[in-house]
Every structure is written in C-alpha cells, then in structure tokens.
Amino acid sequence: MDIPAIGDAEELSCDVLVIGGGTAGTMAALTAAERGARVLLLEKAHVRHSGALAMGMDGVNNAVVPGRAEPDDYVAEITRANDGVVDQSTVRQTATRGFAMVQRLESYGVKFEKDEHGEYAVRQVHRSGSYVLPMPEGKDVKKVLYRQLRRREMRERIRIENRVMPVRVLTSPEDGRAIGAAAFNTRTGAFVTVRAGAVILATGPCGRLGLPASGYLYGTYENPTNAGDGYAMAYHAGAALTGIECFQINPLIKDYNGPACAYVANPFGGYQVNRHGERFVDSDYWSGQMMAEFAAELASDRGPVYLKLSHLPEESVASLESILHTTERPTRGTFHAGRGHDYRTHDIEMHISEIGLCGGHSASGVRVDDHARTTVPRLYAAGDLASVPHNYMIGAFVFGDLAGGDAARHTAYEGTLPADQLAAAHELIYRPLRNPDGPPQPQVEYKLRRFVNDYVAPPKTGAKLSLAVAAFDRMTGEIAEMGARTAHELMRCAEVSFIRDCAEMAARSSLARTESRWGLYHERLDHPERDDTGWLYHLDLRKSASGAMEFTARPVEPYLVPVDGFAPAGGPARHLGEVDLVPVATAGSREAAPAARAQAAPDGPDGPDAVPAAAPEHGSASSPRILELLALAEESPDLDVLRPYLADPDPAVRAAAVAALGETVPAGAGPALAARLADAAPVVRAAAAAALRELVEVLPGGPELGAGLRAALAVPDPAVRSAALEALRALRLGDVQAYAASLADADPEVRIHAVRALVSVDAVPELAAAAADPAREVRVAVAKGLASVHAPAPGPLDPLLADADPLVRGAALGALASVGCPDGYARTAVAALADAAWQVRAGAAAGLSAAAPHTAVPALAKALADANADVRKAAVLALLAHRDAPEARAALATAVSDPDADVRAYAGRAA
C-alpha cells in the first residue's frame, strides 16, 4: 500500500474520545453520553467482540455486597495484598461504588448468581471476607454492553469507529492538556486525526509482554490484543505511570495459557495441591506472596502443582465443566479431551504464566486519582490500564463510569492540532512500508519478548535488568527497520513498539526499587528484604523534557482505613531521576584475578533457595435471510419486523431471529422467546432457552410471559423445561403448584430447578416430600434448599440425615449450621464425626457451628486431629462460631501449626 499524506488525514471531532471498546471503555462511553457529551469510541478491532470481556466472565472477584462485606474491610484487604503501597482513595471507589455497578449491569441484562430468594450468592474464596460473586452464564456480558451502545438514544451521541487504532495522544503545546489522538485504519491504512475535549484511555493491560512457555506470540494469559498500547500512549503524552515493577503473574494450566480457575473451583470444593495432594498456600489468593509460594512449591521435589478436582462428586464436576468449558475458555474442554484427560480421573497440572503489566490483577499502570484523572489534564485512564490494585472487572466498570462522568464536562478542542506530534505519529505508523522486505514483525517481537523472559522475569537482579535495558535500547533500531506491506501488518508493527516501551519501563522500574516486595511480582535476589522505611512509596515514572525516563519515589498517602503492620510516614517525594545501570560489560574487573565466592553473613540470605448451539437441521448459516437479520440487528428493529423471521420455515433463520431478539430486546421479546421454547427444531429451542436465561433480569414479568413459560413446562425437551422453571422463579411468575408438579419430571436436572423454585416460595412441605427423590443430586439440593428457606427448621432434614448416600448425609448435616442444631441433632452430628466418609464428617463439623458450645467444642477439638484436611478445615470454621468460649480459642491455637495450609490460615486469622 502507499503511504498516505498527512494532509489527506480523515479528521474526526468529539467532546470525549474513548480509546478502547472493552470493559472500561464501553462504560466510559455510555456514562459520558448519558451526561450529554458527544462521544467518539475508537477500537482497533470491533466493539462487538473486543477486549478481554468478549470471552465472557465466570465471576466477580471483588463484589462488596451490603450485608456480605464492608467497604472498609475490602480496602484493608487490598492494602494488605499490595504490601501497603496503595492509594486507598482509589480502591475505596471500587469498594463503595461496586455494588451500584452490579445493579446497573443487571439492569442492562448481565446475570449474577443469586439464591432462590433473589439474594446475591456471594462466596468466600479469600481467607477473609466474602467477595466472589459467580457469573455461571457470564459468557454474554460483552453482547449485553454492545446492545446498550446500539440503543437509539446512545447512537445519537456515541459514534463508534471500529478498525481504527490510535498510536499517540495529542497534547496542547500551550498547557499540555490532552486534545485528541493520531490513529490509522487497520483495514485501509488511512491516517486519522481526532480533536477532542478529553481523552479516556481504556486499552487494557500489557498482556503481550513476556513470552508464553509455548513460544506462541498470542498464547498469552491475558487477551493478546492488549499489547500495552495505552501504557505507551500515556507515557509519550507525559503522564506518570506507577507500580510498573509490580508485575502480573498468574497460575495457569500447564501447556494451555488459560487460568486454572481456582476461584471458580473453590466454592465447589476444588483446591491447589502439590503432587502429594497437600495444600500449601498459606497467604491469601490475591497476593504476590501466594505466587511466590506457588513458584517455590513448583520448583521443589513436591512439584508439579495441581488443581485438585478428581475427589469431587459427579454433579460438582459436571457443573464445573459447564462453566469452565463455555464461559471461561471455550477451547478448554477440547484441550483436556485431546490429552485424554477428564476431571473425574485427572487433576489439572498447573504452571506459571508469563509476566505482564496489569493494574486490575496486580498494581502496574497509569497513575490515576479517585476520578480516573491522570497527571495530564483532561487525560483519563480506566480498567486494567489504570493503577488501581486488584480492580478486576467491577473496578474497570467503576473507573470507566468515573472517567466518563468527569470527562463529559469538556467540549471539543477547536485549535490547530500540533504538526510535530502528527508527523511523529505518522512516522511511527507508516515507516514499515518504506522497508517492505525488512524483518517481519513476528521475528522481531519474538526476539524482544525472549529478552523479557531472560532478563526481566523474576527473580530479578540488577545485572539482568541492566542487560535488559541494553537489549531494549538496541532493539529500538531493529524495530525501526521492521517491514510491512498491509494495514494489518502496520498494526502489528505499532504494537511491537508499544511492547518495547513497556519492557523498558518494566526493567528500569525494577532496577529503581531496591528492595523485594509483592512476593514473586518484584523479587530482587540482590535486595531480598522488604524495606518499609525506605520504600513504603509509590515508584512513579514519566518521560522527562529531554526524552529520558525518570523516577520519583512518592510517599503513600495517609490511609483512610488503618491497616495493622503498615504506617505510611508521608513527607516529601524523593526525586530519583534516571536509574543507574549495573556494569555488565565484563564479569568483574578486567584486571582482577578470579575471586573466591563471597560467603553470606550468618543472619543473611541463604540464596535463591453455555451449551454450544447445535447445527441447523436445514438451511445454511450463509442464507440471505440470515444476512438480512444481521443487518437488521444493527438497527434495533421492533418485534413486528422480526416476526416473519421467527416463523421462517428454515430453523437456522428462526434461530438467528431468536439471537437477534436476545441482542436487541424489543418490546414483547419475552413472550416471543417463550413461544420459541416449543419450536420443533432443537437449535431454535436451545437459542430461546439461552436468550431467556441471559435476559431474565431485564424482561418485564407480565401475564403473557408467565403463560408462555408455564406452557413450556410440558415441552418434551428437558433443557427447555429447566429454562422455563428458572425464568418463572427469577421473574416470580410461578406458584407452588407448578413447581411441585415438576418434582415428578423424568429429568433430574429439571427436578433440581423445581427444588430451587420451591425454595424461592418457602414451600417446605413440598421440599420435604422431595427428600425421597431417587437421584442423589436432587436430595442434596433438597438438603441445601431446606437450609435456605426464610424460616428453616431441622425437622424436615430427618430423612436426609439418615440417607444411605454419604453426600446426602453430609449436605444435611451441613444444613444444620443454618437451620439450627438443638441437642438431639447435635448428638447426631457428634456421632457423625466418626463416619467412614469424610464428606459426612465435614458436614457434621459444619453443622456443629450452630450447636451449644458445651456439646460442640469438645467434639470439634477432637476433629482437629482428623486425617482429612477438609474435615479439619470445617472444624476450624465451626470453632470460629464458638470463639467466645475459652476452650474453642485453645483448640484453634493448636491448629495454627496444622500441616494443611487452609487449616493454618483460618486458625491463624482467629488468633
């Protein structure tokens, strides 16, 4: 292609420019538009399926739901996880605004797991606090957000330009404020300039920094399109970045760069173990120290490390498969199947990911205040790009909302765009076209990221980091010589320049912080101790007027929430300037003879020691009718426009029409979807069931929809009957009679949904009748359901407590913790502590948390010697309920030296 002239650029204008159409960017655009701003959203891919969120989300890691967690507790937890180096004002925004964001997302149609009464099913996964809110059907979050962007009132204010990639933020020569961006079209190669009143960077993390063990450039833990674009743009615009030495490193599946998902598996009973089956993680799950313990175990003779699932019952394994093989990573099931592995017979071997930069999962990003403002006026950052530690998805939405609301105050820049900045951006974009036969991007990027692995990945040393800086300086010239022939190749070449910038930032920042902190994230072998006196500071970097990278140690602000063990001293910032490199040209002095190895001092360090849609029975996915539907969906048609497609003879067309209904949700969509539950084609029924599940939070629950759902209870397809029951329960459109009738359904899954529905209306007699169900999984659901009604009592559990199946007995005994455990039941639970099945013993221990202390505490103290770690863990948690008793506190004190990490951790919390 030819290099376009700068003068031929397409110029766009807006009040608020949002760069990146993922989680934070979408929310920023919606909020800014709601505040009246003219918004331009630039996305180098397509907003419909861009960003990490497009793959779906299996849960929220940091939901501070009233009644289940307190904002101050969450702020303290994140402060501890980040070793005290935190701006608590930013973390508190997520803590206090996150629940409202959950509700806002629900109003859009995003689904979060709730119990039978409509309360949020928050789980405790971390050692303190319940913050994890599952999203078992979270695969469609991005589709829901895109639907909001395409609403008519939003389309009037939000202009979306897909396939346009910004490379530089433009700043005013007079006052340095952000005034727009320079970009290009990744399909045509056209040069694009934007003038704006404010700019919001929402480009995600730098996930493509280290090289995966597979060597595949795009096989990264994070979304591989996140190449550090925003980090580089913020840096070159003059913004401060902070915490760049605090890397993101995660546990993942060996040979498959996806998370092992202990967050998801933990509530089902899964956990991390070494090859002997021993839990070994003492620290909490969102700390870098956890990764240090993980790496140490992996490198020891106790490795490999596994996510243990093989001990779980069939129904738990099946539930995990339905989540992990659809929402989290659709290729995950294929990967395991290709190796002949199954969660029932094989635990999941785990490993460590490549390094990356990410505020949302560690702390490295663009410095922002509590309104998402950067240090450059009118430039904002949100999401994984912003340095708000452990912000995750909800935090990205919160800061996208904050950025959009604040940026909406500004109107489009009217002055002349700076010619020198446009020329530099133009050169960055198009220089590979002048050298089409130069080194191709994959080769240069591979070499660059191998240097990152070799010299920057922990454990770090000053010598290796200095070698890294020298390598990245050399590679500036090699990157300038890369060749390209197409617009797509230009995009990839620009991404390599962003990766190089991030790599240099990571290396120089790691050199500047002369201590170890955050566990594996910043482990310096040559500075192995944490130094709170000298380094309870943020390490900021910025581009100086001369173009050099310079550093400032900024004191941590006084905490809003006091945290034991950390006391920010305040005081002035320390300007560090440019970081000094360690001499590495020669190994020691050139003249010196070989020296004896220095010995460590006696007190010094010892050394490094959703169900896939079926294929249509007839017709083709390329049918002209389907292409018409795809075009119609972009215009948000009314139901009357879609009705002919819903009645089309071709089931592929009908299924596509159902998908369009789910995407646009016109008035009357609910009854129309309910009618399709009775469609003759399985593919249409499956699409209708999936759409109803996705939209159940936003559909109005009128009589017509209720009638259609009740009629669907007679459809021969069990998946339809399950979906109908679920929708009836969630929309409060069913009754005891309809739910109880479904207890006679031939399909166990339908009966489980009937049990949940009966719980939602507190139908205890009908639930008790289901205690004789032939399916174990249904009886387990009944036991849990009897503990979840509003007025629980132990009597209905009697037949389940005597059930022949140990899993049922264990569930019933565990339910005593909620329904109450009077003396007779307490004696039953004490006797069950001697049962042969560990699940029964664990349930009995849990149930005794509600018994009288004089009965419970002696029995639980004995249970602390149980051979099974899960029984001991249940005993510790039950003893916490009796901690006012001196005998309970004495028993807990003995458990702090338990060989199991979970038992030690919970007992230690009590101490």
Side-chain angles (χ1 to χ4, degrees):
M1 59 173 287
D2 295 329
I3 298 176
I6 294 180
D8 293 336
E10 176 186 0
E11 184 172 304
L12 305 173
S13 178
C14 60
D15 298 327
V16 176
L17 169 62
V18 180
I19 299 176
T23 309
T26 302
M27 187 58 67
L30 289 169
T31 297
E34 289 168 359
R35 301 287 178 87
R38 293 183 304 114
V39 180
L40 174 62
L41 177 57
L42 297 186
E43 168 56 54
K44 66 181 178 182
H46 192 293
V47 173
R48 184 195 294 268
H49 46 68
S50 62
L53 197 61
M55 290 296 292
M57 183 62 60
D58 54 45
V60 175
N61 295 346
N62 55 343
V64 183
V65 175
R68 299 301 304 275
E70 294 297 326
D72 283 1
D73 292 339
Y74 173 78
V75 172
E77 194 68 24
I78 297 304
T79 302
R80 283 189 289 268
N82 217 53
D83 283 354
V85 183
V86 169
D87 179 351
Q88 286 192 346
S89 68
T90 61
V91 176
R92 204 166 199 284
Q93 289 285 47
T94 299
T96 57
R97 293 171 174 265
F99 181 61
M101 183 57 65
V102 167
Q103 294 178 309
R104 178 175 176 179
L105 292 170
E106 275 190 316
S107 74
Y108 292 166
V110 176
K111 286 192 65 180
F112 301 93
E113 185 173 332
K114 294 182 178 178
D115 64 19
E116 293 80 1
H117 298 289
E119 301 296 329
Y120 294 98
V122 185
R123 311 286 177 82
Q124 180 170 354
V125 173
H126 303 288
R127 296 283 171 56
S128 66
S130 298
Y131 303 111
V132 175
L133 179 56
M135 300 170 67
E137 295 172 30
K139 62 184 182 303
D140 295 320
V141 179
K142 192 63 194 293
K143 186 172 78 172
V144 171
L145 292 172
Y146 186 68
R147 185 167 65 229
Q148 290 299 310
L149 287 172
R150 302 306 296 160
R151 283 167 38 217
R152 285 190 176 90
E153 58 269 35
M154 288 294 102
R155 280 185 290 169
E156 293 173 359
R157 291 205 163 272
I158 301 174
R159 174 176 177 177
I160 298 174
E161 288 291 335
N162 293 307
R163 313 295 180 188
V164 174
M165 177 183 181
V167 298
R168 288 291 186 264
V169 172
L170 303 176
T171 56
S172 167
E174 288 80 27
D175 56 14
R177 75 182 189 272
I179 57 173
F184 72 104
N185 188 295
T186 63
R187 287 293 182 267
T188 67
F191 192 48
V192 179
T193 61
V194 182
R195 59 179 66 245
V199 179
I200 301 174
L201 292 171
T203 57
C206 183
R208 218 161 84 221
L209 183 61
L211 190 67
S214 66
Y216 176 46
L217 295 179
Y218 309 107
T220 52
Y221 179 93
E222 287 287 354
N223 181 350
T225 65
N226 296 144
D229 309 34
Y231 286 77
M233 283 189 277
Y235 173 73
H236 289 290
L241 292 93
T242 192
I244 303 300
E245 70 280 18
C246 180
F247 299 162
Q248 175 187 212
I249 308 170
N250 296 286
L252 47 71
I253 300 172
K254 181 73 165 64
D255 299 329
Y256 176 83
N257 252 41
C261 292
Y263 270 106
V264 181
N266 186 287
F268 288 92
Y271 46 81
Q272 295 175 92
V273 296
N274 58 28
R275 69 182 177 91
H276 301 301
E278 301 162 340
R279 284 187 287 229
F280 59 88
V281 175
D282 280 298
S283 57
D284 212 343
Y285 295 123
W286 47 21
S287 67
Q289 182 58 34
M290 184 272 283
M291 284 307 306
E293 293 175 24
F294 188 100
E297 199 76 6
L298 193 65
S300 75
D301 64 351
R302 298 177 299 277
V305 169
Y306 297 88
L307 177 63
K308 187 167 184 60
L309 301 177
S310 59
H311 66 297
L312 298 177
E314 170 59 32
E315 48 267 37
S316 296
V317 173
S319 296
L320 280 168
E321 286 177 333
S322 70
I323 297 170
L324 298 179
H325 296 178
T326 55
T327 298
E328 181 57 48
R329 291 289 195 280
T331 58
R332 180 171 177 156
T334 306
F335 168 78
H336 292 311
R339 297 197 163 192
H341 290 182
D342 186 286
Y343 298 156
R344 297 156 187 83
T345 58
H346 288 74
D347 293 322
I348 302 168
E349 186 183 354
M350 300 171 68
H351 212 263
I352 290 179
S353 73
E354 69 287 343
I355 67 170
L357 303 178
C358 180
H361 289 80
S362 60
S364 47
V366 179
R367 177 183 166 187
V368 294
D369 66 9
D370 55 3
H371 284 82
R373 306 180 190 110
T374 73
T375 57
V376 170
R378 301 197 186 186
L379 179 64
Y380 300 79
D384 285 341
L385 167 72
S387 179
V388 184
H390 298 279
N391 220 20
Y392 302 108
M393 181 188 77
I394 288 299
F397 280 130
V398 165
F399 272 80
D401 175 56
L402 290 168
D406 203 71
R409 300 178 295 123
H410 305 296
T411 56
Y413 177 71
E414 299 293 344
T416 302
L417 297 178
D420 58 338
Q421 295 179 39
L422 291 175
H426 188 274
E427 172 66 13
L428 171 66
I429 296 167
Y430 298 109
R431 66 188 176 192
L433 294 178
R434 291 198 294 272
N435 188 30
D437 295 319
Q441 163 262 332
Q443 289 184 14
V444 177
E445 182 175 335
Y446 183 90
K447 180 178 179 180
L448 170 65
R449 291 167 65 189
R450 274 302 303 270
F451 282 140
V452 170
N453 280 19
D454 291 345
Y455 297 133
V456 184
K460 311 172 187 178
T461 69
K464 289 199 299 182
L465 293 166
S466 298
L467 286 168
V469 170
F472 302 147
D473 284 346
R474 280 198 313 274
M475 289 207 68
T476 301
E478 297 178 35
I479 289 170
E481 295 171 358
M482 279 190 300
R485 298 174 183 272
T486 68
H488 180 81
E489 290 172 347
L490 289 178
M491 175 181 71
R492 293 292 185 228
C493 288
E495 287 176 338
V496 175
S497 74
F498 300 150
I499 296 168
R500 196 221 70 86
D501 288 342
C502 290
E504 182 182 356
M505 289 186 233
R508 290 186 183 272
S509 296
S510 296
L511 265 171
R513 184 177 285 275
T514 52
E515 65 157 356
S516 288
R517 190 176 289 269
W518 308 301
L520 189 64
Y521 298 163
H522 181 65
E523 181 186 358
R524 283 283 300 261
L525 296 179
D526 46 355
H527 296 282
E529 301 301 323
R530 195 176 86 188
D531 175 13
D532 282 349
T533 301
W535 277 111
L536 195 60
Y537 288 79
H538 302 276
L539 181 64
D540 293 353
L541 71 85
R542 69 174 70 231
K543 187 177 183 179
S544 70
S546 65
M549 192 177 295
E550 62 180 20
F551 292 87
T552 300
R554 175 171 49 93
V556 172
E557 290 291 321
Y559 291 156
L560 304 173
V561 179
V563 177
D564 289 341
F566 299 103
R574 299 199 311 265
H575 181 68
L576 306 177
E578 296 181 48
V579 66
D580 293 328
L581 304 185
V582 174
V584 290
T586 63
S589 170
R590 293 177 61 192
E591 292 79 19
R597 182 172 181 174
Q599 298 297 313
D603 59 346
D606 293 325
D609 198 12
V611 181
E617 292 90 335
H618 308 288
S620 165
S622 60
S623 160
R625 295 278 284 170
I626 292 178
L627 297 178
E628 291 172 14
L629 268 170
L630 291 174
L632 276 174
E634 289 293 319
E635 303 302 319
S636 300
D638 294 332
L639 180 59
D640 287 342
V641 177
L642 294 174
R643 287 191 194 280
Y645 298 94
L646 290 167
D648 194 278
D650 186 344
V653 175
R654 299 200 301 278
V658 167
L661 264 183
E663 184 167 319
T664 58
V665 200
L673 289 170
R676 288 300 99 199
L677 289 174
D679 196 281
V683 66
V684 182
R685 297 196 302 271
L692 278 167
R693 283 194 169 99
E694 177 193 337
L695 300 173
V696 71
E697 302 290 349
V698 295
L699 291 174
E704 188 180 359
L705 175 55
L709 293 172
R710 285 192 294 274
L713 295 176
V715 171
D717 187 338
V720 166
R721 301 196 298 276
S722 292
L725 278 168
E726 191 172 345
L728 284 167
R729 173 183 60 79
L731 294 168
R732 299 292 190 264
L733 294 174
D735 52 37
V736 174
Q737 184 178 1
Y739 298 153
S742 293
L743 288 175
D745 197 282
D747 188 86
E749 188 67 25
V750 177
R751 301 202 298 276
I752 289 174
H753 281 286
V755 167
R756 295 198 70 201
L758 287 167
V759 173
S760 72
V761 292
D762 294 317
V764 174
E766 289 76 10
L767 281 170
D773 193 281
R776 175 184 73 187
E777 58 268 36
V778 177
R779 302 199 302 278
V780 169
V782 171
K784 294 178 178 178
L786 287 169
S788 301
V789 296
H790 281 124
L797 289 170
D798 287 346
L800 299 166
L801 289 167
D803 197 279
D805 190 285
L807 290 183
V808 178
R809 294 201 306 280
L813 286 161
L816 292 173
S818 299
V819 306
C821 191
D823 284 348
Y825 292 92
R827 288 193 294 272
T828 299
V830 170
L833 288 173
D835 196 281
W838 70 266
Q839 296 94 335
V840 175
R841 303 197 303 275
L848 285 170
S849 66
H854 68 271
T855 301
V857 172
L860 291 169
K862 291 180 181 178
L864 292 178
D866 196 282
N868 185 279
D870 281 323
V871 177
R872 302 198 302 276
K873 176 180 172 181
V876 165
L877 293 172
L879 282 167
L880 291 176
H882 300 291
R883 72 177 77 189
D884 290 340
E887 297 85 354
R889 293 196 297 274
L892 287 166
T894 68
V896 295
S897 58
D898 192 277
D900 182 78
D902 269 12
V903 177
R904 291 195 302 271
Y906 284 109
R909 294 273 183 185

